[in-house]
């Protein structure tokens, strides 16, 4: 039997589906058959829930035919067909049908599962304007007298305030509303979300006019974001009467404001869309945003009206069911080129504005920055240049200094010189080796006597000497030291504490991860912001191996000898681990599952906008091993460095590690529970 790790339901995902069947007006037998066909197809693909269209059993455009007994009886027969079929369909089904209750006619959504009618939801708001005349045929849901009805021989709950909870799928609780219900100022689904529904469903007909499809996107996106929920939306398609209206069959699935799937519109045949909804993410967002809980208390009386119907689903848990969802390899970096350019521009402006404010408020006009010829200091230098431009100060107010040591490569030294030249800062060069040797003599380190002892002390002496020079230069020039260390290094503790690269007066890179900095520098280069020749220098920086350059190597090829990623793992993986750990608090086993979906070779070429920067594919054993490195360093060994970091601006919703911002944690915690959970990840 396949390991349960490889099944999406083991990680609090649920596969949901929106179905748009081709219909015939006033032909319940045909419509029921199409419904069953799509339901079987969705269930065979592992769906837990299938939502159909408004009045799909009858068709929406029956007008006064809705008051004909033959049609209403035919709809009951069609519903019986779907109910019978549901006994062998593992998914819950939501179908639209007109129903007679208490001598009134209601536009209803009927929820079915395993041969059982779980409940009936009447439409709350009836449009009676423009092309709509629903109040002519139907009554609104709050006009019903009964809270329970007998339908096809079953006694079932009836009402708009119903929640449906799958007992064997944690966090899977859904609510149904119908078309116009989501167009009103306070949709019923808003209260349903506060009452605990993580998945909101809308059975809609919704005729199409110019611009309406875009508005539906806005409507559904905002409702899913505001309610911290998934939202499934259907609209009627081919087969509805075109006497006075037209139909496009739009189907949408959103999660917390993000579009997961959309159907192609104007299809001739019945069609389905699927999406794997992250229920844990929705739950954690509600837990994190405490105002959600405040809203629950404020509307407590309204929420008390809700009744919960519990049921079990027969889902394919005993087989591998991979995630059918785009998981970005670079969660801090948009994969879409246009969005990526916009993101890079915004990141720059956030960092520049923050530095401008710090300089303006302090009355300081100069900055001091160490330039290594690597990614982080390159990006920080570019931010400083823009800040000086914004302040109408000369770029010579940037005191740039490169400080070659025992392991500085010819490549990075040349790049540092070239960077300072084209930026136009006040450039200088300080050889730190004499002061480092003096320090090692003072403390009795064997290297001062000629021994090749390249230990942590040897490395930190160099990092400390560089920082010491920067602070004294800042004193001398009446400036402040600009930090260059990034979010990824802080997460992994890859910095020298105190008098080292850990410290500065202000760190513009504090919440920018390494993968995003790489894209930022590449973006500046490719957009030719400093000219073609200078862009070549920036691209050379991007393509240089990441290294602290503190331990000498034996090769004489001009490249860095000490490779950071050989010690702490690939930044592209560790940034992935950081994002899902910091932003959502996911367990390591889920982070590994997501990484496997994003980085396994089955996704090769699937996301071309990411492929050009992805150096590797990663097998599950590599994902597990590097996640283990991350967990030990992040949770157990590095927090003391994060408890006292310099000021720096938060840049992205992915979070920062400042104790004054997103992350407060004890410096002496253990990593045991995270490492224990990691054991649930198979090696292959």
């Amino acid at each position: 039997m396949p390991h349960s790790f490889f099944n999406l339901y083991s990680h609090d995902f649920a596969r949901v589906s929106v179905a748009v069947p081709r219909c015939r007006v006033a032909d319940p037998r045909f419509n029921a058959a199409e419904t069953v066909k799509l339901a079987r197809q969705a269930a065979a693909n592992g769906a837990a829930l299938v939502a159909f269209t408004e009045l799909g059993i009858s068709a929406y455009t029956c007008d006064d035919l809705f008051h004909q007994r033959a049609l209403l009886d035919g709809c009951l027969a069609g519903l019986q067909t779907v109910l019978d079929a549901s006994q062998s369909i593992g998914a819950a089904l939501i179908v639209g049908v007109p129903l007679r209750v208490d001598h009134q006619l209601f536009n209803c959504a009927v929820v079915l599962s395993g041969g059982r009618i779980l409940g009936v939801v009447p439409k709350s708001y009836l449009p009676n304007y423009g092309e709509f005349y629903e109040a002519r045929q139907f009554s609104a849901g709050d006009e019903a007298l009964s809270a329970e009805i007998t339908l096809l021989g079953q006694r079932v709950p009836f009402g708009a305030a119903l929640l449906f909870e799958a007992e064997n799928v944690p966090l899977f609780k859904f609510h149904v509303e119908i078309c116009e219900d989501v167009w009103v100022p306070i949709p019923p689904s808003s209260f349903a979300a506060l009452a605990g529904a993580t998945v909101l469903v809308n059975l809609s007909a919704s005729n199409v006019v110019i611009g309406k499809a875009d508005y539906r996107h806005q409507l559904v996106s905002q409702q899913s974001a505001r309610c911290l929920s998934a939202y499934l939306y259907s609209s009627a398609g081919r087969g509805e009467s075109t006497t006075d209206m037209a139909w496009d069959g739009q189907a949408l699935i959103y999660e917390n404001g993000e579009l997961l799937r959309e159907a192609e519109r104007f299809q001739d045949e019945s069609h389905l869309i699927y999406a794997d909804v992250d229920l844990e993410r929705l739950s954690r967002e509600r837990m994190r945003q405490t105002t959600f809980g405040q809203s629950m208390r404020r509307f407590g009386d309204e929420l008390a009206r809700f009744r919960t119907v519990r049921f079990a689903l027969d889902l394919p848990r005993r087989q591998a069911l991979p995630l059918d969802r785009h998981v970005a390899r670079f969660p801090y970096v948009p994969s879409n080129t246009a969005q990526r350019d916009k993101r890079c521009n915004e990141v720059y402006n956030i960092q520049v504005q923050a530095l401008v404010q710090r300089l303006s408020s302090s009355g300081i006009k100069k900055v001091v920055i160490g330039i290594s010829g690597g990614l982080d200091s390159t990006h920080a230098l570019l931010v400083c240049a823009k800040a000086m431009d914004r302040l109408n100060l000369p770029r010579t107010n940037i005191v740039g200094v490169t400080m070659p040591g025992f392991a500085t490569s010819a490549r990075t030294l040349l790049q540092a010189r070239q960077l300072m030249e084209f930026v136009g800062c006040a450039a200088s060069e300080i050889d730190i080796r004499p002061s480092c040797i003096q320090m090692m003599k003072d403390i009795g380190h064997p290297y001062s006597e000629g021994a090749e002892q390249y230990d942590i002390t040897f490395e930190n002496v160099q990092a400390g000497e560089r920082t010491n020079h920067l602070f004294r230069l800042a004193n001398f020039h009446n400036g402040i030291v600009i930090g260059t260390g990034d979010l990824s290094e802080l997460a992994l503790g890859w910095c020298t504490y105190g008098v080292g690269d850990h410290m500065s007066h202000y760190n513009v890179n504090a919440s920018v991860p390494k993968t995003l900095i790489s894209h930022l520098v590449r973006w500046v280069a490719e957009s030719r912001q400093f000219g073609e020749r200078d862009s070549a220098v920036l691209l050379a920086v991007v393509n240089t191996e990441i290294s602290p350059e503190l331990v000498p190597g034996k090769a004489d090829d001009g490249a860095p000898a000490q490779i950071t990623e050989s010690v702490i793992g690939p930044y592209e993986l560790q940034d992935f681990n950081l994002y899902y750990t910091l932003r959502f608090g996911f367990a390591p086993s889920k982070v590994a599952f997501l990484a496997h979906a994003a980085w396994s070779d089955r996704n090769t070429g699937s996301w071309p906008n990411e492929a050009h920067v992805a150096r590797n594919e990663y097998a599950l054993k590599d994902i597990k091993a590097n996640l283990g490195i991350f967990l030990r360093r992040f949770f157990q060994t590095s927090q003391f460095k994060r408890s006292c970091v310099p000021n720096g601006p938060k840049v992205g919703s992915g979070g920062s590690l400042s104790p004054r911002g997103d992350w407060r944690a004890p410096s002496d915690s253990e990593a045991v529970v995270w490492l224990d959970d990691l054991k649930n990840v198979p090696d292959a």
Side-chain angles (χ1 to χ4, degrees):
M1 184 178 71
H3 197 288
S4 61
F5 172 84
F6 298 102
N7 189 296
L8 64 93
Y9 286 102
S10 298
H11 302 280
D12 293 324
F13 286 94
R15 181 162 294 171
V16 295
S17 178
V18 177
V20 181
R22 180 167 179 167
C23 70
R24 292 180 182 172
V25 178
D27 190 348
R29 183 181 302 167
F30 175 85
N31 299 337
E34 286 295 296
T35 298
V36 170
K37 181 176 71 174
L38 290 180
R40 293 193 189 282
Q41 182 180 335
N45 281 287
L49 177 67
V50 192
F52 290 86
T53 54
E54 179 182 13
L55 294 170
I57 298 298
S58 59
Y60 177 79
T61 48
C62 291
D63 290 328
D64 286 350
L65 300 183
F66 281 122
H67 283 184
Q68 293 289 314
R69 178 176 174 177
L71 176 60
L72 297 176
D73 288 348
C75 287
L76 287 178
L79 183 61
Q80 183 71 60
T81 298
V82 179
L83 178 63
D84 292 343
S86 73
Q87 296 183 49
S88 59
I89 295 173
L93 313 178
I94 310 173
V95 297
V97 64
L99 291 178
R100 293 161 285 186
V101 177
D102 296 330
H103 313 293
Q104 301 178 87
L105 186 65
F106 293 93
N107 178 343
C108 295
V110 179
V111 183
L112 315 166
S113 178
R116 175 186 166 198
I117 300 175
L118 301 179
V120 178
V121 179
K123 190 171 184 175
S124 296
Y125 294 92
L126 302 179
N128 218 52
Y129 57 86
E131 62 266 49
F132 302 109
Y133 298 94
E134 284 190 36
R136 178 182 174 93
Q137 291 97 25
F138 296 102
S139 297
D142 60 4
E143 296 175 22
L145 301 176
S146 300
E148 287 189 350
I149 63 172
T150 299
L151 180 60
L152 301 182
Q154 299 184 31
R155 193 70 179 163
V156 300
F158 181 84
L162 294 179
L163 302 176
F164 302 90
E165 182 176 18
E167 296 173 326
N168 58 339
V169 184
L171 307 177
F172 186 46
K173 183 182 288 189
F174 65 88
H175 171 267
V176 187
E177 59 190 6
I178 302 174
C179 200
E180 185 75 10
D181 291 348
V182 77
W183 296 69
V184 301
I186 305 178
S189 57
S190 296
F191 295 118
L194 293 174
T198 51
V199 178
L200 310 176
V201 181
N202 188 302
L203 306 193
S204 178
S206 189
N207 66 304
V208 63
V209 293
I210 294 171
K212 195 172 186 179
D214 290 338
Y215 187 74
R216 291 186 198 126
H217 272 288
Q218 296 175 30
L219 196 65
V220 175
S221 173
Q222 284 299 309
Q223 186 65 359
S224 72
R226 197 177 295 112
C227 294
L228 299 175
S229 69
Y231 201 102
L232 283 59
Y233 181 89
S234 68
S235 59
R238 178 70 185 276
E240 290 285 0
S241 173
T242 56
T243 301
D244 291 299
M245 293 181 284
W247 313 88
D248 62 346
Q250 188 172 28
L252 305 170
I253 302 176
Y254 272 85
E255 178 186 294
N256 195 18
E258 178 185 354
L259 178 65
L260 299 184
R261 286 288 191 278
E262 176 183 12
E264 180 183 346
R265 297 161 59 213
F266 301 108
Q267 294 189 52
D268 286 333
E269 301 302 325
S270 300
H271 53 279
L272 285 164
I273 58 171
Y274 303 90
D276 295 341
V277 173
D278 192 341
L279 301 173
E280 183 186 7
R281 176 187 177 188
L282 298 171
S283 176
R284 288 190 172 276
E285 287 294 272
R286 294 177 179 188
M287 181 173 66
R288 187 177 71 93
Q289 294 188 23
T290 54
T291 49
F292 191 89
Q294 292 171 25
S295 297
M296 292 166 62
R297 290 189 294 274
R298 175 164 294 189
F299 295 102
D301 291 342
E302 184 72 29
L303 306 189
R305 298 175 48 245
F306 280 86
R307 293 172 284 165
T308 298
V309 181
R310 293 176 174 84
F311 64 103
L313 287 167
D314 183 16
L315 297 171
R317 291 182 175 274
R318 297 180 179 84
Q319 65 187 56
L321 192 61
L323 197 62
D324 182 17
R325 172 184 174 121
H326 174 37
V327 180
R329 291 178 169 180
F330 302 93
Y332 291 103
V333 185
S335 58
N336 177 274
T337 302
Q339 289 180 348
R340 187 165 64 244
D341 291 347
K342 183 178 179 181
R343 175 75 55 86
C344 289
N345 184 61
E346 187 169 25
V347 169
Y348 262 121
N349 278 296
I350 291 172
Q351 292 176 283
V352 170
Q353 189 274 341
L355 181 55
V356 165
Q357 173 63 22
R358 177 52 55 97
L359 293 173
S360 299
S361 63
S362 64
I364 292 174
K365 299 184 183 301
K366 288 190 176 183
V367 297
V368 176
I369 180 171
I371 308 299
S372 68
L375 268 176
D376 293 341
S377 62
T378 296
H379 176 57
L381 177 61
L382 299 175
V383 170
C384 290
K386 277 205 168 187
M388 291 301 167
D389 295 346
R390 188 82 60 85
L391 288 165
N392 295 315
L393 294 172
R395 290 186 182 177
T396 50
N397 280 23
I398 304 169
V399 179
V401 55
T402 186
M403 294 171 279
F406 301 111
T408 300
S409 66
R411 174 171 181 159
T412 57
L413 182 57
L414 175 62
Q415 288 169 181
R417 292 167 177 166
Q418 291 173 326
L419 287 164
M420 290 189 289
E421 179 187 357
F422 80 67
V423 165
C425 66
S428 62
E429 191 168 312
I430 300 173
D431 186 343
I432 64 167
R433 287 173 292 184
S435 59
C436 288
I437 290 173
Q438 182 61 52
M439 171 66 76
M440 285 188 275
K441 281 182 180 178
D442 293 343
I443 66 175
H445 191 279
Y447 183 82
S448 64
E449 301 296 330
E452 293 186 1
Q453 183 170 319
Y454 304 134
D455 54 12
I456 294 296
T457 303
F458 177 84
E459 296 187 50
N460 286 349
V461 163
Q462 296 172 79
E465 283 300 308
R466 285 179 174 135
T467 303
N468 188 31
H469 279 80
L470 291 174
F471 273 90
R472 302 298 72 81
L473 281 166
N475 294 153
F476 186 66
H477 290 282
N478 192 28
I480 62 172
V481 176
I482 300 302
T484 62
D486 62 47
L487 183 72
S488 309
E489 293 177 341
L490 201 55
L492 294 159
W494 194 251
C495 55
T496 300
Y497 182 81
V499 185
D501 52 322
H502 170 259
M503 193 48 60
S504 63
H505 288 118
Y506 195 73
N507 186 358
V508 294
N509 286 346
S511 69
V512 187
K514 187 77 76 177
T515 48
L516 180 53
I517 286 181
S518 176
H519 281 79
L520 284 162
V521 176
R522 182 187 296 275
W523 171 72
V524 173
E526 292 179 347
S527 57
R528 300 288 191 269
Q529 294 189 29
F530 288 88
E532 187 167 344
R533 172 182 169 275
D534 301 328
S535 293
V537 177
L538 294 176
L539 290 173
V541 170
V542 172
N543 293 320
T544 301
E545 286 280 9
I546 299 169
S547 171
E549 295 197 308
L550 296 172
V551 176
K554 299 189 181 299
D556 189 22
D557 57 1
Q562 186 184 15
I563 306 304
T564 298
E565 291 175 303
S566 66
V567 179
I568 60 174
Y571 275 115
E572 54 195 15
L573 268 187
Q574 302 300 31
D575 277 3
F576 186 97
N577 296 333
L578 173 62
Y579 179 81
Y580 286 102
T581 301
L582 177 63
R583 179 65 179 82
F584 299 112
F586 288 160
S589 53
K590 182 164 183 173
V591 176
F593 178 73
L594 291 167
H596 183 58
W599 288 99
S600 64
D601 56 6
R602 72 184 180 86
N603 286 334
T604 301
S606 298
W607 313 105
N609 287 324
E610 296 182 318
H612 79 284
V613 291
R615 297 197 298 269
N616 300 295
E617 307 295 337
Y618 295 102
L620 186 57
K621 66 176 182 178
D622 300 318
I623 290 170
K624 182 178 180 180
N626 285 291
L627 182 52
I629 293 171
F630 173 83
L631 296 173
R632 288 183 186 89
R633 297 188 70 99
F634 184 80
F635 286 107
Q636 188 156 336
T637 66
S638 303
Q639 178 56 37
F640 75 100
K641 297 181 181 180
R642 299 189 288 266
S643 294
C644 53
V645 294
N647 291 179
K650 178 179 176 179
V651 168
S653 60
S656 78
L657 289 171
S658 167
R660 301 169 297 275
D662 286 331
W663 186 251
R664 297 163 182 82
S667 295
D668 47 8
S669 67
E670 301 291 337
V672 175
V673 292
W674 291 273
L675 293 172
D676 283 348
D677 183 80
L678 185 63
K679 295 174 184 176
N680 295 320
V681 180
D683 293 322

